[in-house]
Amino acid sequence: MSCNYADGLSPYEDKGKLGIPEKFDSLEEVAGKILTLSKWIKEAKHVVMHTGAGISTPAGIPDFRGPKGVWTLEKKGLKPQINVSFDDAEPTFTHMAIIALFQKNFLHYVVSQNIDGLHLKSGLDRSKLSELHGNMFIGQCSLCSRQYIRRKAVTSVGQRELPVDCPALKGGKLSCRGKLHDTILDWEHELPVRDLGLADIHSNVADLSICLGTTLQIVPSGTLPLATKRKGGRLVIINLQPTKWDKKADLVINTYVDDVMKLLLKELNTPFLPYDPKCDPTRQPLSEKEMWQEEFTKREWTLAPRVVNTTRKRLSHLETKAQPKPKKMKQKHQEEPSPSQLNSPGNSGCQGEGSKQLDMVEPVKVELAEEQCNGLKDEQQDDYVIVTEKITGKKLKQETLHMQSENGEVQSTTNL
């Protein structure tokens, strides 16, 4: 079924690095690293897990860039030999271990690139999950943006319209009149605003981000864990293949993800919770009122319109505590220059007009202008947050300060 999903996407040449050889740590190395990881989890205040295709391979769903991945074999003109359908696939040990960690309050949020719906089947709460690339078991209304659970995987990809009416009622009486479409992104599609907004917030406030079964090649999904690192938190990568961020990670474990989670649960004294179809929304028995058209149900999988704003406020106390680690700089002992020396052409400390008031420049704070946001409609506020963050991330140069680094090279910093 992963092959059908891959075949349904638009042609795209640059699929990243494919078929990178896998690495395996020794049993002794893994055991030692698990002790370190469990210690960090116990110490952390906000833990986020970033999941990729590697956590679903034990369920019979091939990954994409591994030695036997869909796109690796596609380049050779081959197809994966093992390919379980999305309908038949069941959550793996890692999926259920994530549920167990949530119940013990060792884990606080999951950001996933996977479209297989196994997090949904595991019983993971929607408020604890960002699905950045869509879900094969979800349909979304083209008008009201509500999402509904489907009992079987959709057969289309690329956010195509389905012959299904939206079951929502306006004011409890009038039909929404919208049509449902699949939520699977194609290469050129924008990521879902609310899911991305929540993923960004949780990644920034986390003091520990753990990446499971992903090479972190897709942007922006693959760069979100770095937000934790920038704010002074720890980054852990668990994957069979090397990733582009291994050098930035505080800990890298190269072995099977399921094996890591088994040892981790034992070290954290957390009982494993096996998969139960009764907790699977795609397999739960439904009443006549809950049934809808074309295998769709009336059970929602919708994130609230204001969820990004409310989450930002709720976690603001964590964000203020996550400060970047101070960089150690060598201090040169010298006499303080006089004002005339600062303005003289021969001064080598700083150059240009911006250097005259260098000490008065304050760091730029990227934050939401609440007064402007409150003036927007509820359904527009989440978009405003994301747009604001994108704008502040661009290179809007108003003033450039040239500073001389420790080794004498001239560096530029931009005052936004």
Side-chain angles (χ1 to χ4, degrees), residues 118-134:
L118 292 184
H119 281 306
L120 165 70
K121 290 185 174 185
S122 72
L124 183 57
D125 192 277
R126 181 64 169 112
S127 64
K128 305 293 185 182
L129 173 67
S130 279
E131 294 181 310
L132 300 183
H133 298 161

Side-chain angles (χ1 to χ4, degrees), residues 82-114:
I82 301 176
N83 192 27
V84 176
S85 71
F86 291 127
D87 293 336
D88 296 332
E90 294 183 353
T92 66
F93 187 96
T94 296
H95 287 95
M96 300 314 301
I98 287 174
I99 300 297
L101 291 174
F102 266 112
Q103 291 197 0
K104 286 289 187 177
N105 203 35
F106 286 127
L107 179 61
H108 305 92
Y109 202 73
V110 172
V111 179
S112 184
Q113 305 173 45
N114 297 341

Side-chain angles (χ1 to χ4, degrees), residues 147-199:
Q147 294 182 337
Y148 293 92
I149 298 173
R150 199 172 192 265
R151 295 180 66 83
K152 292 185 178 180
V154 295
T155 56
S156 65
V157 300
Q159 299 181 339
R160 299 180 185 277
E161 184 177 293
L162 304 171
V164 180
D165 299 322
C166 175
L169 297 176
K170 294 182 178 180
K173 296 181 180 180
L174 299 177
S175 172
C176 169
R177 297 187 179 181
K179 291 287 187 180
L180 299 185
H181 59 79
D182 71 75
T183 60
I184 308 302
L185 302 189
D186 208 338
W187 295 106
E188 73 277 5
H189 288 151
E190 295 289 337
L191 270 65
V193 172
R194 295 172 192 170
D195 288 89
L196 179 58
L198 290 173

Side-chain angles (χ1 to χ4, degrees), residues 190-257:
E190 295 289 337
L191 270 65
V193 172
R194 295 172 192 170
D195 288 89
L196 179 58
L198 290 173
D200 181 67
I201 292 171
H202 283 278
S203 298
N204 274 278
V205 303
D207 48 2
L208 177 60
S209 273
I210 305 172
C211 304
L212 303 173
T214 171
T215 54
L216 302 171
Q217 295 190 49
I218 297 295
V219 176
S221 308
T223 57
L224 284 170
L226 294 182
T228 302
K229 188 71 176 174
R230 287 194 299 267
K231 292 298 182 71
R234 291 187 174 110
L235 172 62
V236 177
I237 298 176
I238 305 170
N239 197 53
L240 281 176
Q241 295 173 289
T243 77
K244 61 189 298 184
W245 304 129
D246 281 3
K247 292 182 179 180
K248 292 183 178 292
D250 296 278
L251 182 66
V252 177
I253 306 177
N254 295 126
T255 192
Y256 294 110
V257 178

Side-chain angles (χ1 to χ4, degrees), residues 369-384:
E370 293 186 359
E371 294 182 359
Q372 298 179 21
C373 182
N374 292 335
L376 300 174
K377 295 181 180 178
D378 289 347
E379 57 268 30
Q380 294 175 323
Q381 291 190 6
D382 294 341
D383 297 342
Y384 181 87

Side-chain angles (χ1 to χ4, degrees), residues 274-298:
Y275 167 69
D276 185 357
K278 295 180 181 179
C279 299
D280 182 348
T282 68
R283 297 184 181 182
Q284 290 173 340
L286 300 174
S287 64
E288 292 185 4
K289 293 183 178 181
E290 292 177 309
M291 292 297 294
W292 193 237
Q293 308 166 2
E294 299 289 335
E295 296 293 339
F296 272 100
T297 73
K298 293 182 180 180

